[in-house]
Amino acid sequence: MEATVLHCVDADSRTRAELARATFALGYHAEVYGSIEELAQHAPEDGIVIARDDPSRGGISEALDVLERSGVWLSVIAMGDAPSAARIVAAVKAGALDYLSLPLDRQRFAATLRRVGEEARRAAQLRRRMIEARARIADLTTREREVLDQLTEGASNKAIARALAISPRTVEIHRANMMGKLGARHPADAVRLRIEARLEP
């Protein structure tokens, strides 16, 4: 069985080296990067990202945004020096699977990797679907997006027409265009994509 790849991201070369040593010692394969942008340029398709939570660069939330814009859906474990509870909570809310304190405790590192292994694969697939759904929805016009949002709320064509102050026939045209762009055969397909995209209304 091929070893899981850990993509270690940190501007500090010593931290990268320590992460790589610990990774190899635990039987994983390590790839190291000086920044999240460098990792995004390589666009890896498998493994887990371990990235520095740097508040001066937008934290893990910004790192996840960079990965999403680059079409990278891998799960992320955050790391930081003596992180506060608030930083850990913010990172997890942003989408990090876990948070490692630096300097690295190898036993906790090993336990974290064992625990998040299967979760990381599931989370990566969810992120992949989210990113792909967002990319499709981004191609919609403003009106088509409004129709999709209303459809997701369970509104009928007549109700959508009233809400958007347009005719039911115009709703049908926007709805047909929206369905075509999303590659949706049925309204349920379009609603599923909207839910998978996890977009705010």
Side-chain angles (χ1 to χ4, degrees), residues 19 33 41 45 66 74 112 126 186 197:
L19 279 168
Y33 309 86
Q41 287 174 358
E45 295 184 359
V66 169
L74 303 184
T112 297
L126 288 173
H186 306 286

Side-chain angles (χ1 to χ4, degrees), residues 77-157:
I77 296 173
M79 62 179 174
D81 300 297
S84 66
R87 291 252 18 113
I88 295 171
V89 169
V92 171
K93 282 186 174 180
L97 287 184
D98 206 333
Y99 205 113
L100 295 169
S101 293
L102 296 174
L104 193 66
D105 179 318
R106 290 200 180 188
Q107 287 187 331
R108 175 146 198 283
F109 186 38
T112 297
L113 293 175
R114 284 194 302 270
R115 185 175 55 76
V116 305
E118 185 56 40
E119 182 185 354
R121 283 185 281 276
R122 289 194 300 270
Q125 287 305 311
L126 288 173
R127 274 185 55 76
R128 178 179 186 170
R129 289 202 293 270
M130 178 191 74
I131 291 168
E132 290 174 347
R134 286 183 176 182
R136 289 192 197 180
I137 290 171
D139 287 337
L140 302 180
T141 65
T142 300
R143 189 61 91 188
E144 290 163 358
R145 169 69 188 275
E146 289 171 342
V147 170
L148 174 60
D149 289 344
Q150 291 285 324
L151 187 65
T152 303
E153 296 299 319
S156 66
N157 280 1

